[in-house]
Amino acid sequence: IAGWPVGRSRYDELSNEIRRPENHVYLSGDFTEGTHSSGAFESAMRVSRQIIAEESASASRLGVQPKAASATNDASRVSGVEKH
């Protein structure tokens, strides 16, 4: 079970550093968000949003129009499961 030491918070500046991407490396898992299983889901969604934002920014800098995707396609990319 992930836990934060006494006197620390998952919301303090040092903890925020864990959640910042570094050279396209993204940390996720319950240890990055909290001590409950929902932390794993929350961190997966956070990392997904960070990657999508980074890719969109890269596409804009290159003058590429990102392909529009439906909410279903976005969810399948995030979960890794394709629905047919």
Side-chain angles (χ1 to χ4, degrees):
I1 294 175
W4 298 97
V6 175
R8 291 283 314 279
S9 165
R10 64 182 168 163
Y11 302 111
D12 65 18
E13 188 57 34
L14 189 56
S15 299
N16 287 335
E17 286 296 317
I18 293 172
R19 293 183 281 277
R20 288 195 181 96
E22 181 75 27
N23 296 321
H24 304 289
V25 174
Y26 299 82
L27 297 179
S28 67
D30 59 350
F31 66 94
T32 64
E33 301 296 333
T35 57
H36 300 288
S37 60
S38 61
F41 173 78
E42 292 167 6
S43 71
M45 294 303 293
R46 172 185 47 79
V47 167
S48 297
R49 285 190 299 270
Q50 289 173 326
I51 291 170
I52 290 168
E54 185 176 295
E55 291 299 315
S56 294
S58 293
S60 293
R61 283 192 300 274
L62 295 172
V64 176
Q65 181 67 24
K67 180 179 148 186
S70 69
T72 303
N73 289 339
D74 286 343
S76 68
R77 273 190 300 208
V78 169
S79 68
V81 176
E82 290 188 33
K83 295 183 181 179
H84 296 280

